[in-house]
Structures are given as structure tokens and as C-alpha cells.
Amino acid sequence: MSKYLEKSIDNMKAAKLLIDRSLYPPAVHCAYYSCLQKMKHTLVYALDYSEDTINTECRNSRVSIHDFAPSNLFSEICRKDKSAASEFMDRVQDLKDFRVKSDYRDV
């Protein structure tokens, strides 16, 4: 199992524990990072992106992994199903927006 998948699973377990304790803002944070880590796992292990390629692309285009991963996965999904790709991006963006709100604002 990859380090990204392990971290993704751990963050989702943490999110569930936090929800059970009604600690919602940190639960959203953990759920978001679980999703991000699973996206990075997918890029590296399912789509054969190398770690170096990801780091170089992020550095050269001045984007963070928070934008790089969903954007590249969107492109990959879009090749097979444009509707699913749009839904994927909508859900990722919703989670990303909610994570920012829960980390920095009263929600």
C-alpha cells in the first residue's frame, strides 16, 4: 500500500472519529486531506505520474498539489466520461471550499 493511500485511510478514520465527537471543522479538514492524498495516490500508482514529474509540474506552473491533482484527474476522467469529470470537479471544489471555510471561518 502506498504512503498516500495509508495517509488517506488514516485521515478518513480521523474524520469519522471527529464526526462521532461532533468536532466538525477538523473532521472536514481530515476528509479533505484524505481525498487529496487519494488523488495523489491515483496519479502516481494508477496513472503512472512520477513524484518528480508532479513536483516539477507544480513548481514550473506555480500551482499547488491542491490544484494540480484534481485538474489532472479531471482531464483523465474527461477522456472517458465528460459528465463524470464535471461531477468529480464539482465535488472536489465543494470539499475544498468547505475545508477553507471550516479552517478559517466560523461554520
Side-chain angles (χ1 to χ4, degrees):
M1 184 180 316
S2 80
K3 64 184 174 186
Y4 302 116
L5 193 53
E6 285 182 35
K7 288 180 180 187
S8 175
I9 291 166
D10 288 345
N11 268 310
M12 189 52 64
K13 287 177 185 176
K16 289 176 182 177
L17 288 171
L18 291 163
I19 289 168
D20 290 345
R21 291 171 175 77
S22 300
L23 298 168
Y24 301 112
V28 172
H29 180 93
C30 290
Y32 170 78
Y33 279 96
S34 172
C35 182
L36 183 65
Q37 289 152 345
K38 190 165 258 186
M39 285 189 281
K40 192 162 183 185
H41 166 83
T42 302
L43 288 172
V44 173
Y45 294 95
L47 299 172
D48 294 324
Y49 283 66
S50 73
E51 301 256 359
D52 288 340
T53 298
I54 292 170
N55 293 334
T56 300
E57 291 275 334
C58 287
R59 188 173 45 256
N60 289 346
S61 56
R62 296 181 183 194
V63 299
S64 71
I65 192 64
H66 300 266
D67 296 319
F68 180 87
S71 176
N72 282 272
L73 286 172
F74 170 81
S75 296
E76 295 288 341
I77 298 167
C78 205
R79 291 182 186 151
K80 295 180 181 172
D81 186 339
K82 290 182 181 181
S83 177
S86 292
E87 185 174 340
F88 167 78
M89 280 304 278
D90 288 346
R91 289 180 183 228
V92 169
Q93 191 59 52
D94 287 347
L95 183 56
K96 187 176 181 181
D97 291 345
F98 196 44
R99 197 267 314 166
V100 170
K101 287 178 187 174
S102 71
D103 280 354
Y104 301 107
R105 298 185 190 109
D106 289 332
V107 178

